[in-house]
Amino acid sequence: MESTVLAYTLKPKYALTIDYGQICAESEIKASSKICEQFDIQHFIYTCNLKSLGFGELFGEKKSSLSGLLEWTPYRNQFLLTIASMYAIKVGVEKIIIGTVKDDESYSDGRSLFFEQFNALLKCQEGGIQVMTPGINLSSFEMIKSSGISINILRWGFSCTKHKYACGICRSCLKKQHILEKLETEQY
Protein backbone atom coordinates (compact mmCIF):
# COMPACT_ATOMS: atom_id res chain seq x y z
CA MET A 1 0.00 0.00 0.00
CA GLU A 2 2.79 2.40 0.88
CA SER A 3 4.55 1.89 -2.47
CA THR A 4 1.26 2.52 -4.25
CA VAL A 5 0.90 5.80 -2.35
CA LEU A 6 4.44 6.81 -3.30
CA ALA A 7 3.78 6.03 -6.96
CA TYR A 8 0.58 8.08 -6.79
CA THR A 9 1.99 11.09 -4.92
CA LEU A 10 5.56 11.30 -6.24
CA LYS A 11 5.14 9.76 -9.71
CA PRO A 12 8.78 8.73 -10.02
CA LYS A 13 10.26 8.11 -13.44
CA TYR A 14 11.24 4.52 -12.55
CA ALA A 15 10.04 1.73 -10.27
CA LEU A 16 11.69 -1.58 -9.42
CA THR A 17 9.99 -4.77 -8.28
CA ILE A 18 12.27 -7.50 -6.99
CA ASP A 19 11.26 -11.14 -7.19
CA TYR A 20 13.57 -12.68 -4.60
CA GLY A 21 11.73 -16.00 -4.46
CA GLN A 22 8.86 -14.90 -2.23
CA ILE A 23 5.62 -16.83 -2.66
CA CYS A 24 3.70 -13.67 -3.55
CA ALA A 25 6.15 -12.40 -6.21
CA GLU A 26 3.95 -13.07 -9.22
CA SER A 27 1.02 -11.15 -7.73
CA GLU A 28 3.30 -8.33 -6.55
CA ILE A 29 4.68 -7.99 -10.09
CA LYS A 30 1.19 -7.93 -11.63
CA ALA A 31 0.02 -5.27 -9.16
CA SER A 32 3.12 -3.09 -9.50
CA SER A 33 2.99 -3.38 -13.30
CA LYS A 34 -0.61 -2.15 -13.32
CA ILE A 35 0.20 0.74 -11.00
CA CYS A 36 3.26 1.74 -13.04
CA GLU A 37 1.26 1.60 -16.26
CA GLN A 38 -1.47 3.78 -14.74
CA PHE A 39 1.01 6.45 -13.62
CA ASP A 40 3.34 6.20 -16.63
CA ILE A 41 6.28 4.93 -14.59
CA GLN A 42 8.94 2.82 -16.29
CA HIS A 43 8.87 -0.51 -14.48
CA PHE A 44 11.88 -2.78 -14.02
CA ILE A 45 11.68 -6.30 -12.62
CA TYR A 46 14.71 -8.03 -11.17
CA THR A 47 14.62 -11.75 -10.38
CA CYS A 48 16.89 -13.76 -8.13
CA ASN A 49 16.05 -16.62 -5.80
CA LEU A 50 16.77 -16.25 -2.10
CA LYS A 51 14.30 -18.95 -1.04
CA SER A 52 17.04 -21.16 0.37
CA LEU A 53 18.12 -18.27 2.65
CA GLY A 54 14.66 -17.14 3.75
CA PHE A 55 12.40 -17.86 6.69
CA GLY A 56 8.71 -17.64 7.41
CA GLU A 57 5.59 -16.98 5.41
CA LEU A 58 7.26 -15.30 2.44
CA PHE A 59 9.01 -18.56 1.61
CA GLY A 60 6.60 -21.14 3.04
CA GLU A 61 9.02 -21.89 5.87
CA LYS A 62 8.98 -21.83 9.68
CA LYS A 63 9.76 -18.52 11.33
CA SER A 64 13.29 -17.82 12.53
CA SER A 65 14.20 -17.96 16.19
CA LEU A 66 15.78 -14.50 15.69
CA SER A 67 12.42 -12.81 15.15
CA GLY A 68 8.91 -13.31 16.46
CA LEU A 69 7.47 -12.15 13.14
CA LEU A 70 6.24 -14.82 10.74
CA GLU A 71 7.23 -12.91 7.61
CA TRP A 72 10.73 -11.85 8.73
CA THR A 73 13.57 -12.43 6.26
CA PRO A 74 17.17 -11.73 7.33
CA TYR A 75 18.71 -8.63 5.74
CA ARG A 76 15.76 -8.22 3.38
CA ASN A 77 15.76 -4.41 3.15
CA GLN A 78 19.54 -4.36 2.97
CA PHE A 79 19.41 -6.72 0.01
CA LEU A 80 16.52 -4.92 -1.71
CA LEU A 81 18.16 -1.53 -1.29
CA THR A 82 21.50 -2.84 -2.57
CA ILE A 83 19.82 -4.11 -5.74
CA ALA A 84 17.84 -0.85 -6.03
CA SER A 85 21.09 1.13 -5.65
CA MET A 86 22.65 -0.82 -8.50
CA TYR A 87 19.58 -0.13 -10.66
CA ALA A 88 19.68 3.55 -9.70
CA ILE A 89 23.22 3.85 -11.01
CA LYS A 90 22.28 1.97 -14.17
CA VAL A 91 19.36 4.31 -14.99
CA GLY A 92 21.13 7.45 -13.75
CA VAL A 93 19.12 8.48 -10.69
CA GLU A 94 20.50 9.55 -7.33
CA LYS A 95 17.54 8.85 -5.05
CA ILE A 96 15.75 5.67 -4.10
CA ILE A 97 12.36 6.03 -2.45
CA ILE A 98 11.11 3.22 -0.23
CA GLY A 99 7.66 2.94 1.33
CA THR A 100 8.70 2.22 4.86
CA VAL A 101 6.49 3.62 7.64
CA LYS A 102 6.49 3.92 11.40
CA ASP A 103 4.61 0.60 11.58
CA ASP A 104 7.74 -1.13 10.22
CA GLU A 105 9.73 -0.45 13.42
CA SER A 106 9.08 -4.05 14.51
CA TYR A 107 11.78 -4.98 11.95
CA SER A 108 15.36 -3.88 12.62
CA ASP A 109 15.68 -2.90 8.95
CA GLY A 110 12.52 -0.80 9.11
CA ARG A 111 13.85 1.68 11.65
CA SER A 112 15.29 5.14 11.09
CA LEU A 113 18.70 4.00 12.36
CA PHE A 114 18.92 1.34 9.66
CA PHE A 115 18.22 3.86 6.89
CA GLU A 116 20.66 6.39 8.37
CA GLN A 117 23.36 3.72 8.47
CA PHE A 118 22.53 2.48 4.97
CA ASN A 119 22.78 6.03 3.63
CA ALA A 120 26.14 6.42 5.38
CA LEU A 121 27.32 3.24 3.65
CA LEU A 122 26.11 4.52 0.27
CA LYS A 123 28.13 7.72 0.79
CA CYS A 124 31.26 5.55 0.94
CA GLN A 125 30.61 4.27 -2.56
CA GLU A 126 30.41 5.66 -6.05
CA GLY A 127 27.19 7.05 -7.45
CA GLY A 128 25.97 9.45 -4.80
CA ILE A 129 22.84 7.35 -4.20
CA GLN A 130 20.57 8.29 -1.31
CA VAL A 131 17.62 6.36 0.17
CA MET A 132 14.57 8.49 0.93
CA THR A 133 11.94 7.37 3.44
CA PRO A 134 9.15 9.97 3.20
CA GLY A 135 6.70 7.98 5.34
CA ILE A 136 9.00 6.78 8.12
CA ASN A 137 7.43 9.03 10.77
CA LEU A 138 3.86 8.20 9.76
CA SER A 139 1.72 5.14 10.31
CA SER A 140 0.50 3.43 7.15
CA PHE A 141 -2.95 4.86 7.76
CA GLU A 142 -1.62 8.42 8.21
CA MET A 143 0.48 8.16 5.06
CA ILE A 144 -2.40 6.83 3.01
CA LYS A 145 -4.97 9.28 4.35
CA SER A 146 -2.73 12.32 3.83
CA SER A 147 -2.02 11.30 0.23
CA GLY A 148 -5.61 11.67 -0.97
CA ILE A 149 -5.28 8.44 -3.00
CA SER A 150 -8.59 6.83 -3.93
CA ILE A 151 -9.54 3.57 -2.26
CA ASN A 152 -9.94 2.00 -5.71
CA ILE A 153 -6.31 2.74 -6.65
CA LEU A 154 -5.16 1.55 -3.22
CA ARG A 155 -6.90 -1.77 -3.85
CA TRP A 156 -4.72 -2.39 -6.92
CA GLY A 157 -1.74 -3.12 -4.66
CA PHE A 158 -0.96 -6.59 -3.38
CA SER A 159 -0.17 -7.15 0.29
CA CYS A 160 -0.33 -10.87 1.11
CA THR A 161 2.81 -12.53 2.48
CA LYS A 162 1.50 -16.13 2.57
CA HIS A 163 0.03 -16.88 -0.83
CA LYS A 164 -0.08 -16.06 -4.50
CA TYR A 165 -3.58 -14.65 -3.89
CA ALA A 166 -4.74 -12.59 -0.92
CA CYS A 167 -5.34 -15.04 1.93
CA GLY A 168 -7.21 -12.60 4.16
CA ILE A 169 -5.56 -13.93 7.33
CA CYS A 170 -1.86 -13.03 7.24
CA ARG A 171 -0.58 -9.90 8.98
CA SER A 172 -0.32 -7.97 5.68
CA CYS A 173 -3.80 -8.89 4.45
CA LEU A 174 -5.32 -7.99 7.81
CA LYS A 175 -3.47 -4.66 7.83
CA LYS A 176 -4.80 -3.80 4.36
CA GLN A 177 -8.36 -4.83 5.31
CA HIS A 178 -8.20 -2.77 8.51
CA ILE A 179 -6.93 0.33 6.72
CA LEU A 180 -9.51 0.07 3.92
CA GLU A 181 -12.31 -0.38 6.46
CA LYS A 182 -11.08 2.60 8.48
CA LEU A 183 -10.88 4.78 5.35
CA GLU A 184 -14.39 3.74 4.29
CA THR A 185 -15.75 4.36 7.81
CA GLU A 186 -14.28 7.87 7.83
CA GLN A 187 -15.91 8.50 4.43
CA TYR A 188 -12.48 9.04 2.92
Side-chain angles (χ1 to χ4, degrees):
M1 290 186 300
E2 297 82 3
S3 296
T4 302
V5 167
L6 292 177
Y8 172 77
T9 57
L10 301 177
K11 300 202 177 41
K13 187 173 182 178
Y14 305 108
L16 174 64
T17 302
I18 301 174
D19 172 355
Y20 52 93
Q22 71 274 33
I23 290 171
C24 49
E26 182 180 336
S27 296
E28 289 177 355
I29 291 168
K30 284 180 183 177
S32 57
S33 294
K34 180 177 182 172
I35 291 162
C36 287
E37 182 180 323
Q38 179 69 31
F39 298 125
D40 196 29
I41 299 169
Q42 188 174 352
H43 187 214
F44 294 98
I45 300 165
Y46 179 77
T47 303
C48 61
N49 195 336
L50 301 180
K51 184 173 167 86
S52 65
L53 302 173
F55 293 93
E57 289 179 341
L58 286 168
F59 299 101
E61 302 284 336
K62 296 185 300 183
K63 73 178 185 174
S64 168
S65 61
L66 296 175
S67 174
L69 301 169
L70 291 173
E71 69 281 358
W72 178 78
T73 300
Y75 307 105
R76 179 178 171 265
N77 277 350
Q78 184 175 340
F79 170 77
L80 297 174
L81 289 170
T82 298
I83 297 299
S85 298
M86 295 168 81
Y87 261 87
I89 287 175
K90 185 172 181 108
V91 299
V93 298
E94 295 177 348
K95 294 182 181 175
I96 298 167
I97 304 164
I98 186 169
T100 196
V101 290
K102 188 172 185 143
D103 307 348
D104 295 331
E105 289 181 343
S106 54
Y107 305 97
S108 295
D109 62 358
R111 299 179 185 148
S112 293
L113 178 61
F114 170 80
F115 293 102
E116 291 167 15
Q117 295 294 318
F118 196 84
N119 273 321
L121 177 63
L122 287 174
K123 284 182 181 180
C124 296
Q125 295 185 292
E126 302 80 9
I129 306 299
Q130 182 182 9
V131 176
M132 310 298 291
T133 56
I136 199 154
N137 294 316
L138 301 171
S139 69
S140 294
F141 180 76
E142 292 167 335
M143 180 185 187
I144 292 164
K145 188 172 180 183
S146 68
S147 74
I149 193 170
S150 78
I151 292 175
N152 290 333
I153 293 173
L154 198 56
R155 284 190 172 117
W156 294 347
F158 186 79
S159 297
C160 188
T161 55
K162 284 183 79 161
H163 297 286
K164 185 177 175 179
Y165 303 102
C167 70
I169 59 172
C170 72
R171 181 177 167 178
S172 295
C173 282
L174 292 174
K175 174 184 169 180
K176 184 174 183 177
Q177 289 170 12
H178 173 74
I179 288 173
L180 290 174
E181 287 170 6
K182 192 171 178 180
L183 289 171
E184 289 168 349
T185 301
E186 293 187 12
Q187 297 179 335
Y188 175 70

